Amino acid sequence: MLRWVRQQLGFDPPHQSDTRTIYIANRFPQHGHYVPQKFADNRIVSSKYTVWNFVPKNLFEQFRRVANFYFLIIFLVQLMIDTPTSPITSGLPLFFVITVTAIKQGYEDWLRHKADNEVNGAPVYVVRSGGLVKTRSKNIRVGDIVRVAKDETFPVDLVLLSSDRVDGSCHVTTASLDGETNLKTHVAVPETAVLQSVANLDKLVAVIECQQPEADLYRFVGRITVSQQTEEIVRPLGPESLLLRGARLKNTKEIFGVAVYTGMETKMALNYKSKSQKRSAVEKSMNSFLIIYLIILLFEAILSTILKYAWQAEEKWDEPWYNEKTEHERNSSKILRFISDFLAFLVLYNFIIPISLYVTVEMQKFLGSFFIGWDLDLYHEETNQRAQVNTSDLNEELGQVEYVFTDKTGTLTENEMQFRECSINGIKYQEVNGKLTPEGFSEDSPDGNIHSLMKEEELFLKAVCLCHTVQINADQTDSADGPWHANGIASPLEYYASSPDEKALVEAASRVGVVFTGTTGDSMEVKSLGKPERYKLLHVLEFDPNRRRMSVIVESPSGEKLLFTKGAESSILPRSKSGEIDKTRVHVDEFALKGLRTLCVAYRRFTPEEYQEIGKRLHEARTALQQREERLADVFNFIERDLELLGATGVEDKLQDKVQETIEALRLAGIKVWVLTGDKHETAVSVSLSCGHFHRTMNILELVQHKSDSTCAEQLRQLAKRIKEDHVIQHGLVVDGTSLSLALREHEKLFMEVCKNCSAVLCCRMAPLQKAKVVRLLKTSPEKPITLAIGDGANDVSMIQEAHVGIGIMGKEGRQAVRNSDYAIARFKFLSKLLFVHGHFYYIRIATLVQYFFYKNVCFITPQFLYQFFCLFSQQTLYDSVYLTLYNICFTSLPVLIYSLFEQHVHPHVLQSKPVLYRDISKNAHLGFKPFLYWTILGFFHAFVFFYGSYLLMGEDTSLLGNGQMFGNWTFGTLVFTVMVITVTMKMALETHFWTWINHFVTWGSIVFYFIFSLFYGGIIWPFLHTQDMYFVFVQLLSSGSAWFAIILIVVACLFIDVVKKVLYRHLQPTSTEKAQMYSNRVALSDEFIALQPLSRARNQLSKISLLRQVQVSTAWTPCAASQMGKQHAHLLEECWND
């Protein structure tokens, strides 16, 4: 029992050995002394709380906040000693804050539980008791045999037992794990591959021994022992036998596999970072400000205590006739009396710490987060998906981002390749209506039968159709008539490829008349213009990153031996001896400038003697035991020479809409973009160029394919030196996963120096945890920049959880990224609106909210401190206890809350079209020490004006009131409080730029509510109150004309200086934000101006303004203003206002 408890708490892992033994179908040995190993269940957990730990864990997290812990101490002090105010004044707000926060965080975690339950409750089929049983994913146990059908996702990590294919192979895409969309082939061991039915699998007696779970996606070591009659056959198991959770079955009807790793022990889950509480920079600033205010509070309390005893040093003040001490007070310890008085002053001034600040911030974050979901600009109509907020605690962090880390596949791209152009024999072609048309020629002929191809065109297309690793959907190749209908027109074939480029090229060839129809044994079948041809596949020279090409050697129907090669132009053109080499090179450069991915295609004919020599060399290299890779490379180079160039292809990896504009906008906003992808080097660089992450004029530096620390360090030094020498040029860095591991091991500082001096960084061949390490590296650097990670697959989860802000893309790679993110959007382009508009608004709102709260509490408590100088530091309170409790909860809370929800200091269109405005709020500019000091000094200044203004105007006039009564203590305190409530509310009104009816209602309504409440509270004798010091005080105060004059005079005196400062600064030293405010105000007023113009002039202005709005006036305000279009927009704007 004790061990179980320790395991549940995470202190005692359930397995201690280095390996695990799995009995397939859970057929354990029958001997009695066998004890089964304990394994994790198959539940995925992304939530933070459980029913059992919610209360203690949530309370612990809340009391980590300085203000909450402080008010808990104050509340306990009020319970223990005699203090000037009731414990309710501290206890009630604290209880309210803790309860509201707990409800909000509990609701958010309930949403995570709900998402987890959807995954854990997904239906699956397992083999039990001789049949297929439908159950839930969470019920799968290690050792269960699971059936997975085509296009389904693997629910656990499985060792493949069999598939519907005779050889026991299946094809899998791991896009959601490592970002690669190519098909990977997995194979079962021969002994289990033949067991293709449930009945046969149920009879299987086998044991798997394998390593304990680890995060490496590409490593798996194990063995399977199959018992057949009297013998046991042992077979090795490697990564080719392991099907990972999150991967998807393709091109295979069904497979059976045995569960080896389940739940949080699957490789996908091990690549998640553990869920941690993210805290925004604003919250950290709040805690710093609270500590400063605690110091102010302690200073005031200590000073008041010392002055009290200094005053009481005179005997007449120590024990006046009207306040004689008791015997116990005379005999009590002076130290205890000093501590007691200090604590009493602490309680008296404790409201300088704004307890309601936290609950207002929580409400602002929670309610404000709904605006993201309601924003129609973030709604994707095609997929019917709107933006989603999973964690509202980080709303303002969206306005502070300095680095964006983005995945490539499915995030920047649509994950779709499209054939665009090709060059054949020195002539450029485009595909028009399913026909290859030379550039410059128009295709006027009507669509009819398949047209004829020239000899060079046909050979080029055959090379494309034969030199690849494409596979065809098994359902189509198995059909009787093949993929052709009776009328001779091809039905669309479903291709699967190891490279998306190959798939796009083969599909394009099939559209123009040369169709790859599949492989049979060692033969490749092609239909050229409807005529079937069969080529015998003799050898495949596999692609490798050093050669950057792949080749096939085939035997044509006429018996001729041919080599077809395709690869990067740098590896094909130098090896070509004939063909239109120069023209093709020019075309390749033109394709690349358009952002297309380019490949060159060439071929070679072999004589029988040459082929015999090649076959002999290949056999020797492939059977060599020593230096096999080097010998194969030499043979491949020998074969792939003296080529005849056929042409080149240009394929576009279809980018998502407006990716280039979004990345450019991020740059203008001062945000650096890093692309982290699991894809290969060439593909990643090509997409970076096409999406604008790398510019054509940028100097691309490379740190790739390093195998040792020394070479990596040397390359880093060279790169750093090169950057210093060419500091004028923009640099882009490309680094791969292997080199990154070496760089981070011992040369982290040098690597960071190189990265920070580069305008753009591309990391390729990255494992999921490496992505998280890169994010952590930037996040923990001395500058402590705010980071944002965005991705769409399970391979991005660690990165998303590590960054300050994690954003999931609702793409084609499952929902893991969305479930573990803080925010989810449907497309990458929505990131600009999310940061530049929502992030900007949230940050400005909460920055003002936080500082306004400190300001109004300084205004509130400083008069209380000043009053002690006039009452012999007797701890007499200036305000009634009801006013003390309701000041922050009722009288001044709603205006700032509504401001923090609706404020728009600049029009949203202007913010989005002027990304440079984002720089104005970066690095926590509005919550720095200077703004904080300004608001604090302003609070003290207003407090002095409240107190001494009231004292000078009213304090010495003893017959001020209309009934001749003296102006007493409670009347003076109420006057100060009334002036204060009006002033701080009007101050909030001065800060508001965007007025709605709700703002008007709560601003003026708060002042009216205060007056009505005070009249009722002081005008009626309430039977449940023990004392009622405020009875008729407020009514008498308002009956005095002098009091009204004093209120108006003091309020105007307080706010006049603030208004003058704002006017002077806006006209003499306006910030870019203030300029944008003036501009957006003009645009907003333009519609009203038009209504007052003559009809012809109104039409003219309306057309100009509509044009300005269509382009969102972006170019008139960005660095592009120098462009012709920018000048045109600026001219239109000037002309419009001149009219």
Side-chain angles (χ1 to χ4, degrees):
M1 181 67 184
L2 181 62
R3 187 181 175 190
W4 179 85
V5 171
R6 287 176 61 80
Q7 285 177 10
Q8 298 306 305
L9 293 172
F11 298 128
D12 191 15
H15 40 66
Q16 302 291 339
S17 63
D18 294 333
T19 61
R20 54 171 54 187
T21 303
I22 299 156
Y23 291 86
I24 293 179
N26 291 305
R27 289 193 179 84
F28 301 117
Q30 297 304 309
H31 50 78
H33 60 271
Y34 173 74
V35 179
Q37 285 179 292
K38 301 288 184 183
F39 302 116
D41 59 27
N42 198 39
R43 286 179 300 166
I44 289 291
V45 179
S46 63
S47 54
K48 190 167 63 174
Y49 302 113
T50 65
V51 174
W52 309 110
N53 70 11
F54 175 73
V55 172
K57 194 172 181 180
N58 188 265
L59 287 176
F60 171 75
E61 286 178 356
Q62 290 206 58
F63 283 115
R64 283 169 58 197
R65 289 174 168 172
V66 177
N68 289 353
F69 184 72
Y70 162 76
F71 267 86
L72 178 65
I73 298 298
I74 292 294
F75 176 64
L76 295 175
V77 167
Q78 286 179 295
L79 289 175
M80 289 187 290
I81 67 168
D82 183 25
T83 56
T85 56
S86 164
I88 295 173
T89 58
S90 296
L92 191 63
L94 178 64
F95 177 76
F96 181 66
V97 168
I98 296 295
T99 305
V100 170
T101 306
I103 290 170
K104 172 189 164 286
Q105 293 182 349
Y107 171 72
E108 289 179 347
D109 205 60
W110 174 75
L111 292 178
R112 292 191 197 101
H113 274 281
K114 191 177 172 185
D116 287 343
N117 290 337
E118 284 182 23
V119 174
N120 296 329
V124 293
Y125 289 91
V126 297
V127 177
R128 285 181 187 161
S129 306
L132 269 182
V133 178
K134 186 177 180 181
T135 184
R136 293 183 177 184
S137 175
K138 65 180 180 182
N139 297 329
I140 297 175
R141 300 167 297 174
V142 170
D144 278 346
I145 298 174
V146 182
R147 192 205 77 169
V148 180
K150 182 184 175 185
D151 291 327
E152 288 182 353
T153 301
F154 300 118
V156 289
D157 286 354
L158 300 165
V159 165
L160 180 61
L161 293 177
S162 66
S163 72
D164 63 311
R165 299 167 185 264
V166 178
D167 60 357
S169 65
C170 70
H171 302 292
V172 169
T173 176
T174 56
S176 68
L177 292 170
D178 56 15
E180 293 189 8
T181 54
N182 58 309
L183 287 181
K184 294 181 172 66
T185 303
H186 291 258
V187 291
V189 298
E191 285 71 26
T192 62
V194 296
L195 307 175
Q196 295 181 311
S197 68
V198 173
N200 289 335
L201 283 165
D202 194 50
K203 296 172 186 173
L204 174 64
V205 178
V207 179
I208 292 175
E209 291 173 274
C210 61
Q211 63 189 151
Q212 293 292 3
E214 65 171 359
D216 191 339
L217 295 175
Y218 310 107
R219 187 168 184 270
F220 177 68
V221 179
R223 63 183 180 186
I224 182 170
T225 305
V226 183
S227 300
Q228 288 187 346
Q229 296 170 355
T230 57
E231 64 173 335
E232 289 188 344
I233 300 169
V234 180
R235 296 282 185 185
L237 297 173
E240 72 283 351
S241 303
L242 188 68
L243 306 171
L244 301 177
R245 177 174 188 145
R248 193 178 293 273
L249 184 65
K250 290 284 186 183
N251 204 17
T252 311
K253 288 179 183 176
E254 66 175 11
I255 65 100
F256 290 94
V258 60
V260 288
Y261 304 130
T262 49
M264 300 308 289
E265 292 184 340
T266 58
K267 289 185 181 287
M268 182 183 81
L270 291 173
N271 273 279
Y272 290 171
K273 265 194 82 273
S274 58
K275 197 84 174 173
S276 60
Q277 179 76 6
K278 291 184 180 181
R279 298 171 68 206
S280 69
V282 170
E283 189 173 335
K284 292 170 187 172
S285 297
M286 279 166 52
N287 285 342
S288 303
F289 298 160
L290 283 169
I291 289 168
I292 293 171
Y293 270 67
L294 269 174
I295 293 168
I296 294 172
L297 170 66
L298 291 171
F299 170 75
E300 289 183 349
I302 292 169
L303 181 65
S304 298
T305 310
I306 292 169
L307 289 175
K308 176 180 180 177
Y309 282 93
W311 212 306
Q312 287 180 355
E314 294 183 48
E315 195 172 334
K316 64 175 181 176
W317 298 123
D318 183 35
E319 194 175 353
W321 60 269
Y322 56 82
N323 190 19
E324 290 186 5
K325 295 180 181 178
T326 63
E327 194 66 31
H328 175 72
E329 287 175 330
R330 289 195 187 99
N331 296 329
S332 63
S333 165
K334 288 185 178 180
I335 295 173
L336 288 176
R337 282 210 312 265
F338 186 91
I339 292 171
S340 177
D341 283 328
F342 168 73
L343 291 175
F345 279 118
L346 207 62
V347 169
L348 189 65
Y349 303 147
N350 82 82
F351 285 94
I352 198 171
I353 306 295
I355 179 68
S356 57
L357 168 62
Y358 276 117
V359 75
T360 308
V361 166
E362 292 289 349
M363 289 172 70
Q364 187 267 348
K365 288 180 176 183
F366 179 67
L367 296 173
S369 64
F370 287 104
F371 291 111
I372 292 177
W374 292 336
D375 190 344
L376 289 177
D377 289 340
L378 301 181
Y379 170 72
H380 193 243
E381 196 170 353
E382 292 172 27
T383 56
N384 191 29
Q385 289 172 327
R386 58 187 179 89
Q388 185 177 313
V389 180
N390 298 328
T391 306
S392 59
D393 288 340
L394 304 169
N395 291 344
E396 65 277 6
E397 208 81 327
L398 293 169
Q400 295 296 293
V401 174
E402 295 171 62
Y403 282 86
V404 167
F405 299 91
T406 174
D407 178 39
K408 178 190 74 67
T409 310
T411 304
L412 299 179
T413 68
E414 292 281 9
N415 219 352
E416 294 174 10
M417 296 288 184
Q418 291 185 341
F419 173 79
R420 291 296 181 204
E421 295 181 67
C422 67
S423 170
I424 304 174
N425 201 32
I427 302 170
K428 276 206 287 186
Y429 290 82
Q430 291 178 333
E431 184 187 353
V432 180
N433 297 327
K435 299 177 183 179
L436 276 184
T437 306
E439 191 177 50
F441 285 76
S442 60
E443 184 60 69
D444 297 325
S445 60
D447 292 337
N449 294 327
I450 298 171
H451 67 287
S452 61
L453 292 168
M454 291 169 55
K455 183 183 174 185
E456 295 85 357
E457 295 172 357
E458 188 176 358
L459 185 59
F460 174 84
L461 293 171
K462 283 181 180 177
V464 167
C465 279
L466 293 170
C467 186
H468 58 70
T469 56
V470 172
Q471 296 154 3
I472 295 178
N473 189 334
D475 297 340
Q476 291 178 313
T477 56
D478 293 345
S479 61
D481 299 325
W484 292 78
H485 294 311
N487 59 6
I489 298 173
S491 67
L493 283 164
E494 190 177 356
Y495 290 114
Y496 295 100
S498 60
S499 161
D501 304 68
E502 290 185 339
K503 182 184 175 188
L505 290 173
V506 172
E507 286 176 340
S510 70
R511 289 195 296 271
V512 296
V514 181
V515 184
F516 169 63
T517 57
T519 57
T520 307
D522 60 353
S523 296
M524 301 180 76
E525 296 175 3
V526 174
K527 283 194 176 179
S528 178
L529 304 180
K531 177 185 170 187
E533 296 180 6
R534 180 169 291 197
Y535 289 80
K536 187 177 181 182
L537 181 62
L538 301 172
H539 298 285
V540 177
L541 280 56
E542 297 84 359
F543 175 87
D544 69 65
N546 294 322
R547 283 167 49 244
R548 300 180 71 188
R549 60 185 179 271
M550 79 156 288
S551 303
V552 293
I553 301 175
V554 296
E555 184 180 329
S556 69
S558 62
E560 201 173 10
K561 306 291 193 299
L562 299 171
L563 168 81
F564 289 113
T565 302
K566 76 170 188 299
E569 74 279 1
S570 58
S571 65
I572 298 292
L573 295 180
R575 296 183 162 272
S576 302
K577 70 171 185 179
S578 60
E580 297 289 346
I581 297 172
D582 293 333
K583 287 183 180 178
T584 305
R585 183 179 279 114
V586 172
H587 292 166
V588 166
D589 291 340
E590 289 175 5
F591 294 164
L593 284 171
K594 294 176 184 176
L596 303 181
R597 298 154 62 96
T598 58
L599 288 172
C600 286
V601 183
Y603 84 114
R604 178 184 173 186
R605 300 175 192 271
F606 294 122
T607 63
E609 293 78 17
E610 285 175 333
Y611 178 71
Q612 194 173 357
E613 173 68 15
I614 287 166
K616 183 183 173 185
R617 288 196 178 200
L618 272 174
H619 179 73
E620 287 175 357
R622 282 183 168 149
T623 55
L625 294 176
Q626 302 295 328
Q627 298 180 328
R628 182 181 296 178
E629 290 180 1
E630 291 84 350
R631 294 181 68 174
L632 275 173
D634 290 340
V635 176
F636 289 172
N637 285 330
F638 173 74
I639 297 169
E640 297 165 332
R641 62 189 174 88
D642 299 335
L643 303 173
E644 186 173 337
L645 188 64
L646 290 172
T649 62
V651 174
E652 182 182 29
D653 185 359
K654 189 181 176 185
L655 289 172
Q656 285 190 19
D657 189 29
K658 295 187 178 177
V659 165
Q660 195 160 358
E661 294 90 331
T662 304
I663 289 177
E664 186 57 34
L666 291 171
R667 273 212 187 90
L668 289 172
I671 298 171
K672 287 192 174 183
V673 181
W674 288 34
V675 176
L676 311 181
T677 176
D679 222 331
K680 60 185 180 184
H681 175 209
E682 295 81 8
T683 308
V685 171
S686 177
V687 173
S688 279
L689 286 166
S690 62
C691 74
H693 179 236
F694 284 167
H695 289 300
R696 298 284 167 192
T697 56
M698 197 178 275
N699 184 20
I700 308 296
L701 309 173
E702 291 192 346
L703 183 69
V704 294
Q705 294 180 14
H706 287 284
K707 301 284 176 68
S708 67
D709 272 342
S710 56
T711 58
C712 183
E714 181 59 32
Q715 179 70 4
L716 275 170
R717 289 189 203 97
Q718 288 179 10
L719 293 178
K721 184 181 176 184
R722 193 169 164 187
I723 290 169
K724 283 180 184 174
E725 291 171 355
D726 302 335
H727 61 277
V728 179
I729 305 170
Q730 280 194 324
H731 298 280
L733 177 68
V734 183
V735 57
D736 63 9
T738 312
S739 305
L740 181 75
S741 298
L742 295 170
L744 297 185
R745 195 179 298 167
E746 293 181 10
H747 316 291
E748 191 176 292
K749 193 174 179 183
L750 185 59
F751 176 70
M752 284 302 301
E753 184 187 335
V754 171
C755 288
K756 286 180 180 176
N757 288 319
C758 291
S759 304
V761 179
L762 169 65
C763 300
C764 52
R765 281 294 179 201
M766 300 283 285
L769 284 178
Q770 276 186 314
K771 292 185 177 184
K773 281 181 183 175
V774 171
V775 176
R776 193 184 311 124
L777 184 68
L778 261 295
K779 186 176 155 186
T780 56
S781 62
E783 294 83 9
K784 298 279 190 295
I786 302 299
T787 58
L788 179 147
I790 178 168
D792 69 321
N795 60 319
D796 304 314
V797 168
S798 298
M799 169 176 81
I800 284 169
Q801 291 182 342
E802 180 63 55
H804 292 95
V805 182
I807 297 184
I809 295 281
M810 303 168 189
K812 301 173 183 177
E813 298 186 8
R815 307 290 290 182
Q816 291 95 333
V818 171
R819 286 195 306 111
N820 288 276
S821 64
D822 303 308
Y823 303 88
I825 52 179
R827 287 292 180 270
F828 183 80
K829 66 178 180 180
F830 295 152
L831 187 61
S832 60
K833 177 81 184 275
L834 195 64
L835 297 186
F836 302 153
V837 178
H838 290 286
H840 201 119
F841 283 158
Y842 284 133
Y843 177 73
I844 290 292
R845 291 165 183 170
I846 204 163
T848 307
L849 182 151
V850 168
Q851 296 182 114
Y852 175 78
F853 252 92
F854 285 108
Y855 153 79
K856 72 186 181 78
N857 277 42
V858 166
C859 290
F860 182 36
I861 287 304
T862 304
Q864 179 79 71
F865 172 69
L866 296 174
Y867 183 62
Q868 296 305 305
F869 287 87
F870 294 84
C871 67
L872 290 180
F873 296 92
S874 61
Q875 297 151 13
Q876 170 63 39
T877 178
L878 178 63
Y879 315 119
D880 183 70
S881 60
V882 171
Y883 285 164
L884 279 171
T885 305
L886 297 184
Y887 174 74
N888 277 318
I889 293 178
C890 294
F891 300 145
T892 60
S893 60
L894 277 180
V896 68
L897 176 62
I898 296 303
Y899 168 93
S900 66
L901 290 175
F902 296 112
E903 173 64 359
Q904 294 181 12
H905 63 302
V906 181
H907 196 278
H909 289 303
V910 177
L911 282 179
Q912 196 162 2
S913 61
K914 286 184 64 181
V916 73
L917 290 176
Y918 194 80
R919 294 171 185 255
D920 287 359
I921 62 168
S922 62
K923 299 188 183 297
N924 209 10
H926 287 254
L927 271 177
F929 185 70
K930 283 186 178 179
F932 169 72
L933 192 63
Y934 165 73
W935 280 91
T936 302
I937 291 171
L938 185 69
F940 278 113
F941 168 71
H942 283 182
F944 273 79
V945 175
F946 298 156
F947 185 84
Y948 287 108
S950 300
Y951 180 75
L952 292 172
L953 289 172
M954 320 292 283
E956 296 182 4
D957 190 343
T958 54
S959 60
L960 174 74
L961 301 179
N963 60 2
Q965 274 190 314
M966 289 178 64
F967 197 84
N969 167 57
W970 295 115
T971 313
F972 177 74
T974 303
L975 175 63
V976 172
F977 192 83
T978 303
V979 169
M980 178 171 56
V981 168
I982 296 171
T983 305
V984 297
T985 305
M986 293 296 293
K987 171 63 180 168
M988 188 76 263
L990 282 176
E991 294 298 316
T992 304
H993 296 92
F994 186 72
W995 283 89
T996 65
W997 68 267
I998 303 177
N999 292 81
H1000 283 290
F1001 178 76
V1002 298
T1003 301
W1004 316 121
S1006 292
I1007 297 173
V1008 171
F1009 173 75
Y1010 164 70
F1011 277 87
I1012 293 172
F1013 174 85
S1014 297
L1015 286 170
F1016 273 89
Y1017 172 59
I1020 299 172
I1021 296 177
W1022 300 97
F1024 52 83
L1025 294 176
H1026 298 298
T1027 58
Q1028 201 161 343
D1029 299 322
M1030 295 296 292
Y1031 180 67
F1032 238 67
V1033 168
F1034 197 71
V1035 176
Q1036 290 176 347
L1037 179 69
L1038 296 187
S1039 66
S1040 167
S1042 302
W1044 281 105
F1045 173 75
I1047 290 170
I1048 294 168
L1049 187 65
I1050 295 170
V1051 169
V1052 170
C1054 284
L1055 297 177
F1056 178 73
I1057 294 175
D1058 211 39
V1059 172
V1060 169
K1061 173 194 168 282
K1062 281 181 178 292
V1063 170
L1064 288 175
Y1065 267 85
R1066 285 180 83 88
H1067 285 82
L1068 299 178
Q1069 289 183 330
T1071 63
S1072 54
T1073 302
E1074 287 168 343
K1075 289 176 184 174
Q1077 284 173 347
M1078 290 186 278
Y1079 163 71
S1080 59
N1081 289 340
R1082 288 174 184 171
V1083 172
L1085 289 169
S1086 60
D1087 293 335
E1088 296 173 24
F1089 293 156
I1090 288 169
L1092 303 173
Q1093 303 296 322
L1095 184 60
S1096 59
R1097 193 171 176 185
R1099 281 177 181 159
N1100 187 28
Q1101 286 202 354
L1102 188 60
S1103 64
K1104 290 172 184 174
I1105 287 170
S1106 65
L1107 176 58
L1108 284 167
R1109 284 179 175 170
Q1110 283 173 15
V1111 297
Q1112 295 184 340
V1113 208
S1114 61
T1115 49
W1117 296 99
T1118 62
C1120 301
S1123 69
Q1124 189 63 36
M1125 191 168 283
K1127 289 175 183 175
Q1128 181 188 351
H1129 297 158
H1131 176 70
L1132 274 169
L1133 179 67
E1134 186 181 359
E1135 188 182 336
C1136 193
W1137 301 138
N1138 288 340
D1139 286 346

